Amino acid sequence: LNLIRDVPRCDYQDLSSFLILPVQHLCTYELFIHNLIQNTPPEWKEECNSLSVALDQFGRVGRYVTESRDEYETLILLNTAISGLPFNPVESHCIFRGSVDVHIEKKDCTLKPRTLLLFSNIVMIVKHGRIPGSQVYCDAVPLMH
């Protein structure tokens, strides 16, 4: 991936920078097709059926890319925090990811925000870090087969 990084013609970017470009344009294409449909004269609306199908497909692809990216980022965040657990992030699939409020029995007995991750073989509760965007591994419970 880093071979082209030394090539001035490639602006010193690695291959992954170029591979992401088509994905970054999905929203632009979706917006373009939406505007095209909105600005099509009423007498041509029947011809817009294929554009409506394309718009729907771009929306589906965009949602799939977002979900895949979120799952990948979750696995990367947890990768360093799970050493010693019966969990392989490469082979696992995130079944559910969501925010929960957990009752913490300490001094104030307040609800604390956590992220719940359910995999096929383990449940993880991730504590939100003090730095925005960071997360800290908090607890994991292996599931019985």
Side-chain angles (χ1 to χ4, degrees):
L1 288 177
N2 294 322
L3 291 176
I4 65 170
R5 184 175 281 173
D6 298 329
V7 179
R9 189 175 74 207
C10 295
D11 292 329
Y12 303 102
Q13 296 182 38
D14 62 6
L15 182 60
S16 62
S17 300
F18 290 101
L19 293 175
I20 194 69
L21 287 175
V23 175
Q24 291 173 335
H25 291 289
L26 286 174
C27 293
T28 305
Y29 298 144
E30 188 175 4
L31 182 60
F32 172 74
I33 293 172
H34 176 74
N35 287 336
L36 192 58
I37 292 170
Q38 292 293 335
N39 294 306
T40 300
E43 60 271 9
W44 291 2
K45 287 296 180 186
E46 278 189 37
E47 284 80 8
C48 283
N49 289 340
S50 57
L51 286 175
S52 296
V53 170
L55 182 64
D56 181 56
Q57 292 300 320
F58 271 107
R60 289 179 190 211
V61 170
R63 286 187 296 279
Y64 175 77
V65 167
T66 299
E67 290 168 6
S68 298
R69 183 205 61 220
D70 289 347
E71 185 173 327
Y72 174 77
E73 288 175 355
T74 298
L75 292 175
I76 293 300
L77 281 171
L78 295 173
N79 194 31
T80 56
I82 58 174
S83 61
L85 293 176
F87 176 74
N88 183 345
V90 175
E91 296 174 1
S92 296
H93 177 74
C94 187
I95 298 169
F96 175 80
R97 175 185 179 175
S99 297
V100 294
D101 289 327
V102 178
H103 183 265
I104 308 293
E105 292 190 28
K106 289 191 178 177
K107 300 178 237 176
D108 54 2
C109 293
T110 59
L111 295 174
K112 303 290 184 183
R114 301 290 188 261
T115 299
L116 177 71
L117 300 160
L118 174 63
F119 293 89
S120 56
N121 60 344
I122 200 164
V123 174
M124 294 184 181
I125 298 174
V126 180
K127 177 181 171 183
H128 300 265
R130 294 176 192 248
I131 301 170
S134 69
Q135 292 183 331
V136 179
Y137 168 73
C138 187
D139 200 6
V141 178
L143 300 175
M144 304 299 272
H145 283 21

